[in-house]
Amino acid sequence: MATVLNVNDDEANRYLVNRILEMSGYHVLEAATGMAALLMAEKHRPDVIVLDVKLPDISGYEVCARLRANAATSAIAVMHTSATFITPDKKVQGLEGGADAYLTQPYEPSELIATVRSLLRLRHAEQQARLRTDQLIEMDRRKDEFLAMLGHELRNPLAAIMTAIGILERKGPVDTKEARMHGIIQRQTHHLARLVDDLLDVSRITRGKVELRKEPLDLAESFQQVLSILRPRVEARGLKLEVRLPQTPLWLEGDATRLEQIFTNILDNAAKYTDQGTVSVELFQEGVDGSAQAVLRVKDTGIGIPPEKLAGVFDLFAQVDTSLERSRGGLGIGLTLVRTLVRMHGGSVEATSGGYGEGSEFVVKLPLLAPERIPLLNAANAVDARQARRILLVEDNSDARQSMRELLELWGHQVAVAPDGVQGVEMALTHAPDVALVDIGLPGVDGYQVAQALRARVGRNIRLVALTGYGEVEAHTRALKAGFDLHVTKPVRPADLERILSNL
């Protein structure tokens, strides 16, 4: 049974409305003043309030405003009634002030009941929508927690595999068959790692959780690194890769990891949708000084994009290949990430195609640094990447620990290992390492606590690097607050790890 609060200082009018409502099956409460109505509304939470505008203490307009301002009563339906304020401007004032309906007296009993029923239906629909929204928010929160845990659980084994690949590459294959197997493992592991990153990134992007870690960098050099990884993949598909790069650096302020992600997704997309022919890549500068921008043009001779799908090619989960066999693979999120990350760098991206069988072209434009902001390179600051260091590795995954240790020792470093945080802190105190590579998800004492303990007991004489499967912005921020110098998401490529150690 719905409850209606009837607020009117006229006793006869109040009694009449009460009887009409009660005869229609409603439970009726009553109040003669505005303040009494506010108290009863907060205490009893009626479904509808029939509120006269002219009251002896405060007006019905003011009562409605206070009801809407109070979180406990803001959802209650309010219907103004008045025999005095009946002009259109008064009705507008009441409705603009938060009322859901406005009846002028005299009105028929059937009109009153019909309006009450209408307001009840409206409030019921709003309650259902609010409940559904709360459920969706909770489901989204659980989904985010699941994705974070999924990323951690997937990245740990990927880290061990990728490190082991780095060791095999250093030793070289025994024969051509073994070399092919190494290549297959390497390509598929990188592909799986990229899928995991894309899956987690799209969740962060939809929540606005992606932050760029910008620094001045040479775009041409970054692109060269991507090419060195992707060229074998493209050529393994029997495609010809034509590349034209600038002879001079292209300096911009950007996030190196995110820029590599942009390049990788675009090039991988071009190779994936090209069965035979050529993938042409051109990187060059357009404009001068303050208006200069880097332009990346990637053109393929692949299956092309039909006109009806071209406009939505950057939309989330959009797929050009929708056939049952799904021969092209992919999650349909790579180009969404490209567009978002390019825009976050202040750039633009567009796609063109002549249709099926006509190939595609993607053009990315990114703003370059003004000449006065380009950093001066000092050769005296260069650090020998092969400089031997004392390294402490704290990792609870035995495969990851063993493969990482062998890789670091292969580079000439002295390596001590610990399977948990407690032993890690003890070994840091006894072995005095230059660098500590610390996993976050450790048993007992986690990596954050290890970093805090080392900063408190060792000080700033040790470089701390968080190696973790948790790649969220929150995890990065928490790592820096705990005392880490760097936060690196697993799996880390051997070449990247070598660069990190040289830069410390």
Side-chain angles (χ1 to χ4, degrees):
M1 179 187 297
T3 299
V4 179
L5 172 59
N6 179 25
V7 186
N8 198 309
D9 63 326
D10 186 291
E11 188 172 350
N13 195 310
R14 191 170 68 247
Y15 174 79
L16 179 61
V17 171
N18 286 354
R19 290 295 299 157
I20 294 172
L21 293 170
E22 287 170 347
M23 292 177 64
S24 297
Y26 297 110
H27 175 235
V28 181
L29 304 173
E30 60 179 280
T33 65
M35 295 304 298
L38 290 171
L39 292 174
M40 294 193 71
E42 187 164 6
K43 179 179 180 181
H44 297 284
R45 309 285 176 85
D47 300 291
V48 178
I49 298 178
V50 178
L51 178 61
D52 189 39
V53 174
K54 192 174 183 303
L55 296 171
D57 49 355
I58 57 176
S59 72
Y61 299 138
E62 177 65 20
V63 174
C64 186
R66 295 190 187 187
L67 288 170
R68 293 291 178 249
N70 186 345
T73 58
S74 61
I76 299 174
V78 176
M79 175 174 59
H80 276 318
T81 63
S82 180
T84 305
F85 303 107
I86 59 174
T87 57
D89 62 309
K90 296 300 182 182
K91 292 182 180 179
V92 170
Q93 181 182 348
L95 294 173
E96 291 287 350
D100 301 286
Y102 199 111
L103 292 184
T104 57
Q105 297 172 338
Y107 48 75
E108 294 294 325
S110 58
E111 184 181 7
L112 172 66
I113 297 303
T115 304
V116 169
R117 288 173 179 168
S118 175
L119 294 179
L120 287 172
R121 287 194 301 270
L122 176 64
R123 280 298 177 259
H124 178 72
E126 289 178 351
Q127 290 170 359
Q128 292 299 312
R130 192 177 297 111
L131 177 63
R132 181 58 178 163
T133 299
D134 292 341
Q135 291 173 341
L136 290 173
I137 291 173
E138 176 62 18
M139 290 171 63
D140 189 58
R141 184 189 65 80
R142 293 183 181 181
K143 179 261 296 178
D144 293 336
E145 290 179 353
F146 168 75
L147 286 176
M149 184 59 62
L150 176 66
H152 179 265
E153 293 302 314
L154 289 177
R155 280 169 170 157
N156 272 324
L158 279 173
I161 296 171
M162 196 168 288
T163 306
I165 292 171
I167 296 173
L168 293 176
E169 287 179 340
R170 297 277 174 167
K171 294 183 176 181
V174 175
D175 52 33
T176 56
K177 183 178 180 180
E178 185 175 322
R180 286 198 301 272
M181 296 303 104
H182 286 182
I184 291 172
I185 296 172
Q186 183 186 54
R187 288 192 298 273
Q188 296 304 319
T189 302
H190 282 297
H191 180 60
L192 181 57
R194 191 173 64 81
L195 287 177
V196 171
D197 285 339
D198 284 355
L199 178 63
L200 298 176
D201 277 340
V202 78
S203 174
R204 289 194 287 267
I205 282 175
T206 54
R207 292 179 291 136
K209 295 290 186 179
V210 172
E211 293 182 4
L212 299 182
R213 303 166 197 172
K214 289 186 176 182
E215 60 181 359
L217 55 87
D218 178 10
L219 193 66
E221 181 182 348
S222 296
F223 190 66
Q224 282 275 27
Q225 295 173 6
V226 173
L227 278 177
S228 65
I229 297 172
L230 290 184
R231 184 182 291 275
R233 293 192 216 169
V234 175
E235 294 177 347
R237 295 177 61 90
L239 303 175
K240 182 180 178 182
L241 182 61
E242 295 180 349
V243 180
R244 282 183 289 177
L245 299 179
Q247 299 300 314
T248 57
L250 297 176
W251 286 96
L252 57 69
E253 189 173 60
D255 185 319
T257 300
R258 296 302 184 181
L259 288 170
E260 288 185 13
Q261 193 173 5
I262 292 169
F263 300 150
T264 300
N265 273 312
I266 288 183
L267 285 173
D268 195 56
N269 191 74
K272 182 170 62 176
Y273 287 97
T274 304
D275 295 323
Q276 60 182 356
T278 305
V279 175
S280 301
V281 179
E282 185 180 11
L283 181 64
F284 59 94
Q285 177 175 329
E286 186 176 79
V288 294
D289 298 334
S291 61
Q293 55 186 354
V295 180
L296 173 67
R297 194 183 304 275
V298 179
K299 190 173 183 179
D300 63 68
T301 57
I303 66 173
I305 306 171
E308 68 273 12
K309 291 189 176 182
L310 190 59
V313 73
F314 292 101
D315 294 341
L316 189 59
F317 305 128
Q319 294 274 5
V320 174
D321 178 15
T322 56
S323 57
L324 290 177
E325 68 269 19
R326 295 282 295 116
S327 59
R328 310 287 171 180
L331 303 174
I333 60 181
L335 291 180
T336 303
L337 293 174
V338 166
R339 180 177 60 181
T340 302
L341 294 174
V342 166
R343 287 177 175 175
M344 291 178 70
H345 280 86
S348 63
V349 58
E350 62 178 12
T352 57
S353 175
Y356 267 130
E358 299 297 324
S360 307
E361 182 178 72
F362 287 81
V363 178
V364 176
K365 296 184 178 182
L366 296 166
L368 293 174
L369 285 174
E372 64 271 14
R373 296 187 60 199
I374 295 177
L376 296 176
L377 298 180
N378 186 355
N381 292 333
V383 180
D384 181 8
R386 295 293 181 179
Q387 178 184 344
R389 290 179 170 81
R390 294 187 304 275
I391 297 178
L392 170 64
L393 174 62
V394 187
E395 169 65 69
D396 64 319
N397 185 295
S398 59
D399 288 339
R401 186 171 64 247
Q402 181 64 27
S403 58
M404 181 68 74
R405 177 176 188 169
E406 292 188 12
L407 180 63
L408 293 171
E409 289 178 342
L410 191 64
W411 290 342
H413 301 296
Q414 300 176 29
V415 184
V417 299
D420 57 54
V422 174
Q423 293 185 49
V425 174
E426 292 175 353
M427 296 188 75
L429 296 175
T430 57
H431 288 73
D434 303 308
V435 180
L437 306 177
V438 184
D439 184 28
I440 295 297
L442 297 169
V445 177
D446 63 35
Y448 300 123
Q449 294 170 307
V450 171
Q452 291 168 348
L454 291 180
R455 285 288 177 242
R457 303 176 68 176
V458 179
R460 306 301 305 182
N461 293 328
I462 182 174
R463 293 297 184 212
L464 300 181
V465 179
L467 289 178
T468 173
Y470 295 107
E472 298 78 13
V473 174
E474 295 86 349
H476 174 263
T477 303
R478 187 177 176 187
L480 297 184
K481 286 183 178 179
F484 283 105
D485 297 290
L486 283 176
H487 173 276
V488 180
T489 304
K490 297 178 181 178
V492 57
R493 296 193 300 262
D496 293 336
L497 179 60
E498 194 171 19
R499 187 166 61 249
I500 288 168
L501 293 175
S502 71
N503 291 337
L504 283 172

